[in-house]
Amino acid sequence: MSSPEVEKFEVTEDDLANEFYPRGGRRQTKNQAIYGMWANSDDEDNTPGFGGGRRKRKDYTAPIGFVSGGIKQGSKIKKEGEGEEDSSDSEKDIQIQMPSKQFLSRTSRPQGRSGKQFAGFGKTDVGFGDWERHTRGVGKKLLEKMGFKPGEGLGKHGQGITTPVEAVKRKGKAAVGAYGTERSERSLVDFPVHDSDEEEEKKFKDELSQWKKKPEVGKKKPKYVYKTAEEIIQSGVGKKKSMPSKASKVKVIDMTGKEKRVLSGYHAIATRHNRPDEEEDLMEQEPGQKKAFEMPELMHNLNILVDMAEEDIITNDRKLRYEKDHIVNMRHEKERLDTICDQEEAQIQKLKSVLDIVRMCEERTQPGCDDPLQLDECAAIFSSLQNDFYEEYKMYDLSSLAVALVFPMMRKYFSTWDPLKEPEYGLDTIRQWKILLEDYNQQYAGNANDMDVFQRLLWDVWLPYLRTTILKWNVRVCNPIIEVLETWLPVLPPWIMENIFDQLVLPRLLQEVENWNPLTDTMPIHAWLHPWLPLMKDKLEPLYAPIRHKIANALINWHPSDASAKVILQPWVRVFKPGHLEAFLVKNILPKLAMCMQEFVINPHQQILDPWHWVMAWSDIIPAKYMVDMLEKTFFPKWRTVLCTWLSNMPNYDEITKWYLGWKSLFSEEYLSQPSIRDNFSKALEIMNRAVSSHIQPGVKENMAYFSQMERRQMADASVSSSSRSPPRQTATGPEPTYTRSVTVGSNYQPTFKDLVEKAAEENGLLFMPIAGKTQEAKQVYRYGKVQIYLDRNVIFVFENLNWIPVSLQNLVMKAKP
């Protein structure tokens, strides 16, 4: 069960605080916040807003009335007529009042809960800064722990001040520094002022005096401003001319002065402040007092007249400056028009001169004229027009006069021209007119309207004569017409030359190719068609297909013994495209050659090689791959059969060897480098070696082995040389010729170690040949008799008992013999 609440009647700290601060419940004033319990009670009564009755509220709707408040000096306001007031009171320092003895005697010494006295109430003669000794001295102890020493300044190095900051009452209510330095005497002793600081302060005061308002003694005199006409004009230079509008009649209230004013419009605001306010009283006027001379209507009218006069002056000045500027502009405009008139006059004179020249040319071109105009004179006239009247020549397109003047004379000039007999006739004349009439900026786009005068001259005058000549021209006699076109090629535009090739020359060539018969015509077609290649180039491509078709029809009953087919096809090898030529030869020539080789009879005792020569004559035209394939199918089977039959009848091997070498010599190096050809000859060697393996005649077997070895070596070398040799480069006229260099071994030739080993093998009838695809330590392995060897730095290594053993040359011969 809880105990009942008991109210305690002991004295608490709050009771003591309320006893010493009886006004705690009221609002604290500024002086109370600064001085605490020592604040005067009179401050409360003097504080505005806290004592007396309620202040009168201001009427913010009333007009503003600015009344002079006097001149501010120090902390007081000086009114007019008042004397100087002693300001010594404002310069006195603030004295802090301490509580009196009577006040302390009336109060008992309050005790806290700990029984100790309050700090500051022990003695009555103690200063404000000596309270610390009546306390525990915590602040002093803390400072001493942090290194503070009495009599020295604060800070780690004692750089602080040794005296406390003094409280000094400032002078007046102006800005800081307005009345000079505000430092105390003690601070001036501790930190003296240097010369630079005095100079800086003096400079600051000088600058301060520029805007500081000084008191004026006596009456304020009216200041009248009088403007001259020049000043009024200068003030109105940057202003825009006022235009009458609805806004100018608006009622404007000006409240920028002492009293409000009602103006007639916004335009009156700018001029209102340019003159002094005559109505402003310099001294305060007592209520009810009237002015001695007061005529507001007259002043108003005078102000209006002054404003009108100023406006008239500004308006007249603007008109004057406008008229002056207008005169200057008219002067420049007159000069410009005079220049244009002079130019027009000169242009008229030039046009008159040009018109006179045109009329003169027209009169001299009329029929029946005593002095008709010649072509050379006409060229001189056009040259003069270009040089002397170039602008008129281009502007009025005077080059078109050549259509009426030059074209008739040019037709008469070329009427007797025979292009095949005189290819250079009129070339210089046309070249001269090209300079005069050609327009380099105009490009022909396939339309007759796009041609310039020179192109029309060629198209209408020159080309008809050439067209007539080409239509009558014998196609197989091509050199004269080619000479004509090559002569005129530098002068003619490209499109005209293209038109001649496409519309005149090519149709005639196509017609002649259709009429050509390769079986009956004695003149080869390339004789009259190939000369056109430099000029027409790919334009002759449509002719090639009919030519190949006609040649193919002619080769149906052809036999390889007839050499005329090659004579016809040989010139076309470099003309036809490689694919087209290759397809033609494979289809029409190669089957005939294969048939000839199938009928070819191989007889070692009486060999007829004419069919062979007929076939191999095509080897420079037909690619080697097709010829080799054909020989492998038609020639080599019969050739190996004849060899086997001959070897089975106990022949003379020397004759067989010569027969073998004779057939091999019929093949070129290109054919011998082909793998299939080498394989066929290698098979023939194997057949010959097998045939002599059982022969009892001494030396035959060794000779055949040596011969086979030498042949294989030659074929291997030929294969390597052919693979390393780059193919012949194709040129515009065919494959580039290949040059070979022969080396003659003289008496100074020194044999190598390999030559000695090879010579020993020949003397002992041993086989010495490389084994294809086998090496040892990057050295070629050879078959030497019945052993395998390789050479390294003039040392012979023999493969024996699964090891490579070095041996001498004599031991090698003994080991290699069977």
Side-chain angles (χ1 to χ4, degrees), residues 229-266:
E230 289 76 9
E231 293 177 349
I232 295 174
I233 293 172
Q234 188 66 25
S235 63
V237 170
K239 297 181 181 179
K240 295 183 178 180
K241 184 177 180 182
S242 61
M243 300 296 295
S245 61
K246 295 180 180 180
S248 62
K249 299 179 181 180
V250 177
K251 181 180 179 180
V252 179
I253 300 175
D254 182 13
M255 302 182 68
T256 58
K258 177 180 178 182
E259 297 180 355
K260 66 179 181 180
R261 298 182 180 88
V262 179
L263 305 178
S264 61
Y266 293 108

Side-chain angles (χ1 to χ4, degrees), residues 653-671:
Y653 287 97
D654 292 337
E655 294 180 358
I656 292 176
T657 303
K658 292 179 181 179
W659 181 78
Y660 172 89
L661 295 175
W663 278 108
K664 185 180 177 182
S665 63
L666 296 177
F667 290 88
S668 63
E669 293 183 2
E670 182 182 3
Y671 281 74

